[in-house]
Amino acid sequence: MSTIFSQIVEGEIPARIVYEDETTVAFLDANPLAPGHTLVIPRDEYERLNDVPDDVAAALYDTVHRLVPAVEESVDADATTVAFNNGKAAGQEVPHVHCHIVPRFEGDGGGPIHAIAGDRPDLGDDELDDIAADIESRS
Ligand code: AMP
């Protein structure tokens, strides 16, 4: 069963495609959070960022890097929030990696990426040291 985004890649359902190359496709979000809200995806289906091979990840970033100024300029945005919902618990609904480029405007009423947090943890120095060491050892 292919994802709705694969169906867009295959041209089976319509989308407002704004950029495409061999590896990636970008199109307007069907339920935009702001004018110009754009999604960037790899053509091939990978559920999470962790699943994306290195060369595809590099191509994905190249397309994001290319699209951010294009999107900002096209809707005269003051800034953009650029983010992945990476996994169901983070709010990912479509299991096909996609980067959201959401134009932001002074006084638009939105929040920073920090607004995603629920209860913030109260971590001591030892816990922070352990977490940092653990991440470092896996990097
Ligand atoms: P996420 O919650 O990160 O998985 O976001 C999925 C995004 O895909 C949402 O912002 C939807 O509005 C968007 N979306 C779902 N179906 C389509 C579609 N057919 N064309 C464009 N965007 C879509």
Side-chain angles (χ1 to χ4, degrees):
M1 196 29 198
S2 66
T3 66
I4 195 153
F5 292 168
S6 289
Q7 293 171 46
I8 289 174
V9 169
E10 296 303 324
E12 292 166 6
I13 60 169
R16 291 188 171 84
I17 292 176
V18 297
Y19 176 81
E20 55 188 324
D21 59 29
E22 239 175 64
T23 317
T24 66
V25 180
F27 51 90
L28 294 187
D29 194 295
N31 302 290
L33 297 177
H37 181 172
T38 297
L39 302 175
V40 181
I41 66 168
R43 282 186 183 276
D44 293 339
E45 227 171 273
Y46 305 101
E47 184 165 346
R48 292 175 66 149
L49 278 172
N50 329 33
D51 304 322
V52 178
D54 290 354
D55 57 333
V56 177
L60 195 63
Y61 184 79
D62 281 349
T63 301
V64 171
H65 187 246
R66 170 191 285 258
L67 265 289
V68 164
V71 169
E72 287 187 0
E73 286 164 23
S74 73
V75 297
D76 205 17
D78 297 309
T80 34
T81 295
V82 181
F84 294 84
N85 290 324
N86 191 36
K88 247 189 193 166
Q92 182 179 1
E93 288 181 358
V94 179
H96 185 147
V97 164
H98 49 283
C99 178
H100 291 264
I101 302 175
V102 183
R104 301 297 305 273
F105 303 88
E106 295 293 345
D108 64 12
I113 205 101
H114 295 70
I116 62 170
D119 297 332
R120 292 197 189 195
D122 185 15
L123 298 169
D125 280 342
D126 289 347
E127 286 165 294
L128 290 168
D129 287 345
D130 286 349
I131 293 168
D134 193 30
I135 294 172
E136 187 181 20
S137 73
R138 297 167 194 270
S139 303

